[in-house]
Amino acid sequence: MMNSPRLAAGFAALLALSACAREAAPDEAPAPELTETARAATGALGERLKARLVETIAGEGPIAAVAVCNLEAPEIAGAVSAETGMQVGRTALRLRNPDNAPDAFERAAMEMFREKLEDGADPASLEIAEIVDAPDGKTFRYMKPIMTGAPCVLCHGTDVSEELRTAILERYPGDRATGFAPGEMRGAFTVSKTLAAEGTRP
Ligand code: HEC
């Protein structure tokens, strides 16, 4: 037992060495504050969007809510991004707005979430937080699944009304974001932040 800390240090050194030998960037754990801010940002975006949606559907009906989603979703995401200093948005494997298309990292993360959900994982337990090398330097990335809830199927379900379907297709002619059942993954929140150039080179 006395030896174990030294053993552990030895293993860590070996791991670090083998990571260098592979010339792959070793996985770097993001500072916990980054992950906490990202979680808070996705929570704020989700809550504000849902509040506007519920409010508009109740006050003006679902057709008006399509326009609200269209115009306000990017605005709300922009406001949360400015408040948190992180780029926050939504993406999906089957899209409504092509502006929300995933990059390779986002696609891989959502495919990983989908597999874990199929294996019975609790959606609330799923997230990914990593530091990756990007052209602008080291970048913090965070993602978390967005699950389909009961109010979502109105516009994303298997049985979208004719009237609503027409309003959606007017704005999004290539819409692929219907056919979801409650409890299925609809997409994901995605957060990124370019970290200070320090650390990009030793
Ligand atoms: C009133 C119709 C309506 C309802 C209800 C609705 N959405 Fe959407 N959803 C939209 C529209 C319109 C867009 C495109 C927004 C944009 O242009 O960014 C969208 C986009 C999205 C996106 C972004 C990815 C993409 O495909 O462009 C996600 C994720 C999403 N919705 C999830 C949900 C969830 C989860 C709910 C339930 C809480 C929900 N939506 C309820 C209309 C709706």
Side-chain angles (χ1 to χ4, degrees):
M1 273 336 254
M2 289 263 296
N3 268 336
S4 63
R6 205 190 290 170
L7 258 179
F11 274 124
L14 262 175
L15 278 172
L17 270 176
S18 63
C20 287
R22 274 188 282 115
E23 283 188 28
D27 277 353
E28 207 177 305
E33 307 87 74
L34 284 174
T35 305
E36 274 154 32
T37 305
R39 281 189 195 125
T42 59
L45 177 58
E47 270 157 36
R48 283 190 219 175
L49 279 171
K50 213 179 282 178
R52 278 299 287 143
L53 205 57
V54 168
E55 191 186 354
T56 312
I57 291 175
E60 303 165 58
I63 306 279
V66 172
V68 165
C69 273
N70 175 237
L71 300 170
E72 292 190 24
E75 247 171 54
I76 296 173
V80 176
S81 300
E83 284 162 26
T84 57
M86 292 186 172
Q87 214 48 51
V88 190
R90 297 183 303 166
T91 184
L93 291 168
R94 269 178 25 226
L95 286 167
R96 177 147 293 166
N97 186 342
D99 291 350
N100 297 326
D103 64 15
F105 179 92
E106 291 166 331
R107 178 170 296 280
M110 286 188 286
E111 280 164 359
M112 184 269 282
F113 291 152
R114 191 168 59 184
E115 252 170 57
K116 295 215 162 155
L117 289 165
E118 276 165 11
D119 290 345
D122 172 4
S125 72
L126 294 178
E127 63 177 1
I128 179 168
E130 275 181 26
I131 295 190
V132 302
D133 285 313
D136 293 347
K138 286 205 185 288
T139 303
F140 167 68
R141 305 215 50 175
Y142 175 88
M143 291 187 71
K144 179 182 167 58
I146 300 177
M147 304 305 288
T148 309
C152 318
V153 298
L154 190 67
C155 298
H156 294 296
T158 47
D159 201 14
V160 178
S161 77
E162 194 60 42
E163 204 191 2
L164 211 39
R165 185 82 197 118
T166 308
I168 291 167
L169 286 173
E170 245 167 54
R171 285 171 197 271
Y172 308 96
D175 181 39
R176 291 185 60 222
T178 56
F180 292 90
E184 274 185 316
M185 182 173 75
R186 167 61 188 92
F189 290 111
T190 180
V191 181
S192 70
K193 181 183 172 73
T194 305
L195 303 175
E198 64 170 30
T200 49
R201 292 209 73 75

